[in-house]
Amino acid sequence: MINIPPTPATPQTTGRYLVALEDDDISAGVQAVENATGVSEFAHSGDFEDRAIAAEELASENSIMLDELGVMVLSLDQDQVRSLNTATVSEHLPLSMEPERVIYALPESDPFRRMLPAEPAAIRSLAAGKSINVSLDYLKGYRDAIELLIGHLSSEDAGFRRADEECPDINTPIEKITWGLQRTRVDTSTYTGAGIRVAVLDTGMDLEHPDFANRSVQSKSFIDGETAQDGNGHGTHCIGTACGGQGETSPRYGVASECEIYAGKVLSDAGAGSDGGILAGINWAIANGCSIISMSLGARVQPGQGFSRVYERVGKRSLRRGTLIIAAAGNDSWRDNDIIQPVSHPANCPSIMAIGALNEALQVAQFSNGGLNARGGQIDLIAPGVDIFSAWPMPERYYTISGTSMATPHVAGIAALFAQATGAKGSELWTELVQAAQRLPLPSRDVGSGLAQAFQ
């Protein structure tokens, strides 16, 4: 069973700091940090196997340098922070500094499991008819949970959609290929992502899953004390959609069925991590030649809040290196009640492609965040994200869940098809995806350029 804590309404920080240095003057930035803070010893990612910095280093108080990104992760006291801020302004230093945040796997839109167990006292009070003081988010979750439970009880199998349930305007029954792959025209594409490296940075992967027995899989954990084996489910599900195929008896559910898989565990089995671990995963993926990085994770952003300057530099550097980062927009909205929340961090960076979610009827999913904040924070594309069937850790093997987390790997897999077909990378690959999108009669705030479509 998936175990993801509700994403806090306000950003949480770890006490450490991220420092991004200018491309053209990395050495000057390193020297400036040393002069202002006294920090001179770094654990360099380039000194580790596969340029993947060890998880225990990330968990320590040691200073870290992610060489591919030009980003430092530093443990600084307040005097050091003030000194570096002062030097940055007075000496016009080529760097950006910000607190390191706590990042979560974006909770699926299934509050029956995610919300109810967290507040048993509230549930007992509701059952007893007592007046209680709970948040709007909780009440929303309780309502949706009951609707979800009714739906599960009316189905023959809670993990699968009924075999006779066909989607509007979808020609092939979903017992053979999922509705998401049909809506994105993956079913009619002759490309498979062969030769393309796709990194999925999440809760890891079930490395013994039988559907991936003959696939090229590289895995790495950036979580101290945990292997890359997925003890959560979220990561395996996302990898299944982006990079999987189908099992002996399942529908086809994966987009790029022959791509090379790079499974980076940047979130724990509890579904939480930090910016440092995620950036270390990006560093590893770029160093190992991944053309696409898929990230179904994030932290909430408030209306009017700007994007991370560190991640924006990372996004730009990745594009120049030929790597496209694709991230989930977030599931914080409640569109049934006209509540739309802004795109989450880090998907709100202009140089990271932000993905919203829609349902089978090509309507925006009620939970999908929108492009509300100026200068960044836009939705770039939308993809299937409601009732998505995909891989799950054994023994369940498959599961059906919802979220922009599920929409994002659809686009990542489609990007691999384009990369195989056209040779496009980085910004060029971004342009190919946007130009091929199916335009929808919906606000660009919610769907960006439209519904992602596979290369034909």
Side-chain angles (χ1 to χ4, degrees), residues 37 43 47 63 76 106 108 115-116 196 201 218 255 258 299-300 302 319 336 410 420-421:
T37 66
D47 294 336
S63 297
L76 303 175
L106 295 176
E108 57 160 327
M115 296 296 292
L116 296 189
I196 305 301
L201 305 182
Q218 304 295 323
V255 178
E258 294 185 341
R300 285 192 185 183
Q302 301 302 315
L319 290 173
D336 291 347
H410 277 91
Q420 178 194 7

Side-chain angles (χ1 to χ4, degrees), residues 67-293:
D67 298 296
E68 303 295 324
L69 305 181
V71 172
M72 298 174 173
V73 183
L74 304 175
S75 296
L76 303 175
D77 60 34
Q78 289 306 302
D79 287 339
Q80 290 171 313
V81 171
R82 283 192 291 270
S83 177
L84 186 53
N85 276 329
T86 299
T88 299
V89 174
S90 62
E91 301 175 27
H92 305 288
L93 297 180
L95 55 82
S96 296
M97 181 174 66
E98 62 191 49
E100 180 188 40
R101 307 182 199 194
V102 178
I103 304 295
Y104 294 90
L106 295 176
E108 57 160 327
S109 182
D110 183 346
F112 180 71
R113 291 197 308 278
R114 182 171 66 87
M115 296 296 292
L116 296 189
E119 302 193 46
I123 298 170
R124 289 193 295 270
S125 296
L126 283 171
K130 298 178 181 179
S131 175
I132 58 174
N133 182 20
V134 296
S135 69
L136 182 63
D137 283 345
Y138 177 79
L139 294 175
K140 163 196 165 184
Y142 189 83
R143 182 209 64 177
D144 290 350
I146 296 303
E147 293 177 356
L148 177 74
L149 180 58
I150 292 171
H152 280 187
L153 292 173
S154 66
S155 173
E156 294 181 1
D157 187 336
F160 294 83
R161 300 186 57 109
R162 298 194 307 273
D164 61 349
E165 185 180 355
E166 294 190 9
C167 308
D169 302 319
I170 291 178
N171 297 321
T172 304
I174 60 173
E175 62 184 347
K176 296 183 179 180
I177 184 169
T178 61
W179 77 266
L181 269 59
Q182 294 186 62
R183 282 295 193 192
T184 54
R185 300 180 69 199
V186 172
D187 57 331
T188 57
S189 176
T190 59
Y191 294 93
T192 62
I196 305 301
R197 296 182 177 184
V198 178
V200 180
L201 305 182
D202 210 285
T203 61
M205 176 183 180
D206 180 0
L207 301 173
E208 303 299 324
H209 198 290
D211 290 7
F212 299 87
N214 299 314
R215 296 291 297 280
S216 171
V217 179
Q218 304 295 323
S219 63
K220 192 69 65 174
S221 176
F222 299 92
I223 300 296
D224 189 31
E226 296 186 10
T227 70
Q229 178 65 26
D230 185 8
N232 181 289
H234 194 268
T236 299
H237 197 278
C238 292
I239 289 174
T241 299
C243 311
Q246 66 184 103
E248 299 88 344
T249 60
S250 76
R252 179 183 172 187
Y253 58 85
V255 178
S257 58
E258 294 185 341
C259 73
E260 299 178 31
I261 302 168
Y262 280 70
K265 184 166 190 157
V266 300
L267 302 174
S268 69
D269 288 338
S274 66
D275 282 324
I278 291 158
L279 292 169
I282 295 173
N283 189 90
W284 168 70
I286 293 174
N288 285 275
C290 293
S291 298
I292 298 118
I293 297 175

Side-chain angles (χ1 to χ4, degrees), residues 428-443:
E428 183 182 356
L429 182 56
W430 183 314
T431 299
E432 292 275 4
L433 291 168
V434 168
Q435 290 181 344
Q438 176 187 341
R439 304 303 186 256
L440 299 173
L442 296 167

